[in-house]
Amino acid sequence: MLKTRRGNVSSETIQHYIETKGDNMQLTYVLELLKPTKRKQNIFLNNIAEVVKNRQFVADKLKAGETKLSSADFKEINLPSAVKNQNIREVKALYKLFLKSDSNKDNLEFKDNQPICYNNQNYKIDGSIISIPLYTTKCQRFAFPIKQTKRFEELQQYIESGCKLGKASLFYKRGKWYFAVTIKISDKETTNSNVMGIDIGLRQLAVASIKTPKGKEINRQFHNGKQAGFIRKKYRSLRRKLAQSKKVKAIKTIDDKEQRWMVDLNHKISRQLVNLAVQEQVGTIIMENLENIRNTAKSLNRAGSTTKSSYRTRRDRNLHSWTFYQLQQFIEYKAELAGIKVEYINPKYTSQSCSKCAKVKKSNRKANLYSCECGNHIHSDLNASRNIANKYSASVS
Ligand SMILES: [Zn+2]
């Protein structure tokens, strides 16, 4: 069974608007700010009150026939000039619509809860911090941390891949503060027909095999897990020492460090895999659907005993499934931006069957080597990645 994971993700998310223009798709990401201090919330509210005034003034001037407007025309309004200019643009667009409509109102009217809008020159996203100009007693830049969510991670992926940011707006709803960002994404899809199968694991973090539609392997790529294993061991022994001296906070710091290191590695590996896919004219990347594995790890965690010896293996298993899943996601985002489709197949038997003669025999796999009676003797993870590519080809032909 084939399915794209992205399809599932977007149906789960409610505030997700898509606009298509030619080959470009514009997405809006609504990000929640971590709760700002009372002082900062008051600054927001004061600015919003000024935006309401500003917009009404712009509409009034437009109605009076004044169309050449700039921020200098609104000196009495306490807002950064970037926000005033954006207000002029927004209201001009709204006014055009108003004239076309058959409204019996005299002019545009603005409700109290107007968003503060910025164009892409006037806000910045740096890591998980956004910075925007606001008015206090003068124009000032403020920085706000954004709540880390899956959606935000997705946006960061797009930014990292060089997508252009568009307009943004700050607003509140039911006591929470949000920053909505639009981003332009290329919506092209390649017509290439080569297929890349990727096997993800521990000894080899990723092994890719690229095949033509006729099944001939034209290239491969290995990312071995030696360095990751070494780092894991280093942190594990550090953790053990800290646990003996009951330094809980220090353990948390170590965990975060290890996690950041893995995220960084996943970025590098996914980048190299997708670059190779582009180079070799791959149209579809195939990976295993590891969701079942993740669920198993979770349920083991819940039902499992709490003895010390099992803690480590469970902790490791969760860590692995988390980082495997993340690597797949990074590959998926980067591939989609290159116009490459991503499909998932059922992982059953991919490591046990022979990629040459299709025979399933568990004992043929011994650690790094897959050895079959038909004469196929290859690296076991390469064997798996070939099977992944084969399985997909079989399901579409
Ligand atoms: Zn065989």
Side-chain angles (χ1 to χ4, degrees), residues 216-231:
K216 186 174 173 278
E217 185 176 74
I218 52 170
N219 208 338
R220 47 172 96 155
Q221 193 174 71
F222 287 80
H223 294 272
N224 82 48
K226 270 186 199 149
Q227 207 194 353
F230 174 76
I231 292 280

Side-chain angles (χ1 to χ4, degrees), residues 182-243:
T182 60
I183 191 161
K184 290 183 193 96
I185 291 155
S186 161
D187 197 22
K188 58 175 194 219
E189 205 168 84
T190 76
T191 50
N192 291 332
S193 51
N194 290 339
V195 165
M196 178 191 254
I198 303 177
D199 178 59
I200 287 171
L202 264 184
R203 261 188 297 263
Q204 295 289 326
L205 295 178
V207 177
S209 163
I210 299 169
K211 295 193 163 194
T212 64
K214 285 187 175 158
K216 186 174 173 278
E217 185 176 74
I218 52 170
N219 208 338
R220 47 172 96 155
Q221 193 174 71
F222 287 80
H223 294 272
N224 82 48
K226 270 186 199 149
Q227 207 194 353
F230 174 76
I231 292 280
R232 245 192 322 269
K233 275 193 203 109
K234 186 185 103 180
Y235 283 125
R236 189 188 289 158
S237 81
L238 262 173
R239 248 192 305 272
R240 205 175 296 143
K241 277 181 203 147
L242 291 167

Side-chain angles (χ1 to χ4, degrees), residues 353-359 364 370-376 383:
S353 44
C354 172
S355 57
K356 202 168 174 186
C357 71
K359 185 172 172 180
N364 277 354
Y370 190 91
S371 212
C372 178
E373 291 79 357
C374 76
N376 189 18
N383 182 63

Side-chain angles (χ1 to χ4, degrees), residues 244-336:
Q244 278 161 5
S245 46
K246 297 196 169 73
K247 290 184 174 153
V248 179
K249 217 174 172 187
I251 293 175
K252 178 79 174 56
T253 315
I254 295 283
D255 284 351
D256 290 348
K257 253 195 188 158
E258 182 176 8
Q259 198 160 343
R260 271 202 301 277
W261 190 87
M262 279 310 298
V263 171
D264 198 48
L265 183 67
N266 279 343
H267 271 306
K268 282 184 198 146
I269 294 174
S270 55
R271 174 49 56 213
Q272 284 170 27
L273 285 165
V274 173
N275 283 353
L276 180 71
V278 171
Q279 178 202 310
E280 298 294 357
Q281 303 183 326
V282 167
T284 314
I285 288 177
I286 321 297
M287 293 185 282
E288 290 174 310
N289 188 344
L290 299 176
E291 246 153 86
N292 293 332
I293 298 176
R294 285 199 307 139
N295 290 340
T296 317
K298 256 191 227 153
S299 59
L300 274 174
N301 205 5
R302 247 180 256 125
S305 67
T306 46
T307 60
K308 265 187 187 158
S309 62
S310 70
Y311 170 76
R312 200 182 83 188
T313 37
R314 267 188 291 117
R315 191 191 172 282
D316 283 358
R317 202 186 291 118
N318 285 335
L319 188 73
H320 296 153
S321 55
W322 166 81
T323 140
F324 292 170
Y325 181 70
Q326 184 183 56
L327 178 58
Q328 288 192 331
Q329 291 233 297
F330 286 2
I331 293 168
E332 188 172 327
Y333 296 139
K334 291 181 173 80
E336 284 194 354

Side-chain angles (χ1 to χ4, degrees), residues 32-249:
E32 190 185 332
L33 301 188
L34 290 183
K35 199 173 168 60
T37 58
K38 267 262 139 33
R39 188 182 86 88
K40 282 182 175 171
Q41 293 195 50
N42 279 331
I43 296 170
F44 284 158
L45 292 170
N46 288 340
N47 277 259
I48 284 174
E50 292 295 301
V51 167
V52 177
K53 258 200 270 173
N54 191 188
R55 292 186 166 201
Q56 198 61 61
F57 283 3
V58 175
D60 292 347
K61 280 187 190 283
L62 289 174
K63 189 167 186 266
E66 292 178 53
T67 52
K68 278 194 177 166
L69 300 172
S70 77
S71 57
D73 295 316
F74 304 96
K75 288 214 173 72
E76 68 279 31
I77 302 282
N78 292 327
L79 285 174
S81 52
V83 176
K84 290 184 195 175
N85 284 325
Q86 195 58 29
N87 281 335
I88 295 170
R89 276 181 223 120
E90 303 281 332
V91 176
K92 273 188 173 176
L94 286 172
Y95 192 73
K96 259 187 204 160
L97 292 174
F98 173 75
L99 290 182
K100 276 188 211 157
S101 74
D102 48 9
S103 165
N104 47 16
K105 278 184 186 157
D106 193 39
N107 196 356
L108 287 168
E109 284 166 22
F110 294 91
K111 288 189 182 132
D112 283 347
N113 190 3
Q114 292 292 303
I116 309 174
C117 296
Y118 299 95
N119 73 16
N120 56 4
Q121 309 291 316
N122 294 308
Y123 69 92
K124 279 202 190 82
I125 300 182
D126 190 6
S128 61
I129 307 284
I130 56 146
S131 89
I132 47 171
L134 289 164
Y135 194 92
T136 50
T137 51
K138 58 180 193 299
C139 178
Q140 260 183 297
R141 269 198 108 76
F142 285 86
F144 300 97
I146 298 167
K147 196 169 168 182
Q148 198 65 40
T149 58
K150 258 201 126 54
R151 292 280 299 157
F152 184 37
E153 194 179 282
E154 197 176 309
L155 176 69
Q156 286 170 312
Q157 281 290 303
Y158 284 136
I159 295 172
E160 192 235 1
S161 308
C163 288
K164 292 263 172 301
L165 288 166
K167 275 198 311 190
S169 60
L170 178 99
F171 64 95
Y172 74 92
K173 206 174 180 180
R174 293 191 207 99
K176 284 183 178 171
W177 291 91
Y178 298 93
F179 196 69
V181 182
T182 60
I183 191 161
K184 290 183 193 96
I185 291 155
S186 161
D187 197 22
K188 58 175 194 219
E189 205 168 84
T190 76
T191 50
N192 291 332
S193 51
N194 290 339
V195 165
M196 178 191 254
I198 303 177
D199 178 59
I200 287 171
L202 264 184
R203 261 188 297 263
Q204 295 289 326
L205 295 178
V207 177
S209 163
I210 299 169
K211 295 193 163 194
T212 64
K214 285 187 175 158
K216 186 174 173 278
E217 185 176 74
I218 52 170
N219 208 338
R220 47 172 96 155
Q221 193 174 71
F222 287 80
H223 294 272
N224 82 48
K226 270 186 199 149
Q227 207 194 353
F230 174 76
I231 292 280
R232 245 192 322 269
K233 275 193 203 109
K234 186 185 103 180
Y235 283 125
R236 189 188 289 158
S237 81
L238 262 173
R239 248 192 305 272
R240 205 175 296 143
K241 277 181 203 147
L242 291 167
Q244 278 161 5
S245 46
K246 297 196 169 73
K247 290 184 174 153
V248 179
K249 217 174 172 187

